[in-house]
Amino acid sequence: ESLASAAMGKNYRNRSKTSKTPRRPFEKERLDRELKLVGVFGLKNKREVWRVQYTLAKIRSVARHLMTLPEKDPQREFQGAALLLRLSKMGLLDEKEQKLDYILGLSIEKFLARRLQTCVFSTLKLAKSIHHSRCLIRQRHIRVGRNLVNVPSFMVNVDSEKLVEYAHTSPLGNNARPGRVKRKKLAAAKEGGEDDV
């Protein structure tokens, strides 16, 4: 055990951290940049930005480590290919960008653009706004393939993108059962029609 962790006391966490807070809490440029990302991608809070940053940092550090190894090193060839395949499946790299250098060039925006919330609004146009998109997902109107997904930060891979649509139980689908309010209106209209007779 290192001296630093010994000095800090025992770590009782039974799960790893998912995000990392910024070192300098009141840096104006960073605050503005994060607030803009929160607005553009309809995020709940800054922690969602930090979580993506943390993931990106881990991927970059792996890529940097692999780049220090010689070209023909079996570890670099095997792990590098696996990493590039994983990022390509997620839609973060194109076919032309199959080199470790391109991993270092990845941005937060690219990651955020692959979230289910962004796909529902900008790619598939199932929602009227990015915020409406988040509501639809949380209220269980969206499915990916056969699975109902109610997590706005769900990362949509290239194959799943074609399978994102309204859930079978959602009244927003074409051939679905009408929603509560619509059913109420239909019942009222039916009663009104009977009264006239």
Side-chain angles (χ1 to χ4, degrees):
E1 204 174 317
S2 66
L3 285 171
S5 60
M8 296 284 285
K10 192 162 173 7
N11 179 13
Y12 289 101
R13 275 200 200 94
N14 64 356
R15 58 176 68 85
S16 58
K17 293 184 84 168
T18 56
S19 66
K20 205 171 175 188
T21 52
R23 277 209 194 110
R24 300 171 65 187
F26 303 110
E27 204 178 351
K28 183 88 171 77
E29 292 82 41
R30 184 188 52 75
L31 289 172
D32 292 344
R33 192 170 61 246
E34 285 173 356
L35 193 62
K36 191 170 182 222
L37 286 172
V38 168
V40 170
F41 292 99
L43 307 178
K44 177 179 153 193
N45 52 30
K46 299 268 183 87
R47 198 188 303 122
E48 292 204 318
V49 177
W50 299 338
R51 190 174 60 204
V52 174
Q53 258 171 348
Y54 189 55
T55 309
L56 186 55
K58 283 200 282 193
I59 289 170
R60 275 199 195 128
S61 74
V62 170
R64 265 200 303 273
H65 167 67
L66 291 174
M67 284 171 80
T68 58
L69 303 171
E71 278 278 337
K72 294 282 174 243
D73 189 293
Q75 188 192 359
R76 176 172 175 164
E77 283 186 344
F78 184 73
Q79 289 186 3
L83 185 60
L84 288 166
L85 182 67
R86 189 173 133 213
L87 294 174
S88 303
K89 274 186 177 172
M90 283 168 76
L92 298 166
L93 293 177
D94 298 339
E95 288 89 57
K96 302 183 205 85
E97 301 178 333
Q98 297 300 310
K99 274 198 181 129
L100 290 172
D101 298 332
Y102 290 107
I103 295 175
L104 301 180
L106 284 175
S107 64
I108 294 181
E109 286 84 357
K110 267 201 165 173
F111 268 82
L112 293 173
R114 299 304 307 168
R115 285 162 52 98
L116 180 60
Q117 184 181 355
T118 318
C119 288
V120 166
F121 170 58
S122 50
T123 317
L124 305 163
K125 305 277 188 283
L126 295 177
K128 293 172 187 159
S129 74
I130 197 86
H131 306 292
H132 181 220
S133 163
R134 193 179 182 103
C135 291
L136 289 181
I137 295 163
R138 282 304 295 154
Q139 291 165 9
R140 302 164 62 83
H141 288 292
I142 303 294
R143 68 186 164 100
V144 180
R146 293 166 70 178
N147 302 327
L148 199 145
V149 180
N150 67 340
V151 181
S153 63
F154 176 86
M155 292 298 271
V156 181
N157 65 31
V158 179
D159 301 333
S160 304
E161 202 167 359
K162 305 183 241 344
L163 307 172
V164 177
E165 50 198 338
Y166 288 123
H168 295 305
T169 51
S170 168
L172 300 171
N174 291 334
N175 51 2
R177 178 176 179 227
R180 182 178 61 85
V181 177
K182 185 118 183 243
R183 288 201 305 271
K184 211 170 173 184
K185 281 182 183 167
L186 289 169
K190 204 173 176 186
E191 274 179 29
E194 282 169 9
D195 291 346
D196 295 342
V197 172

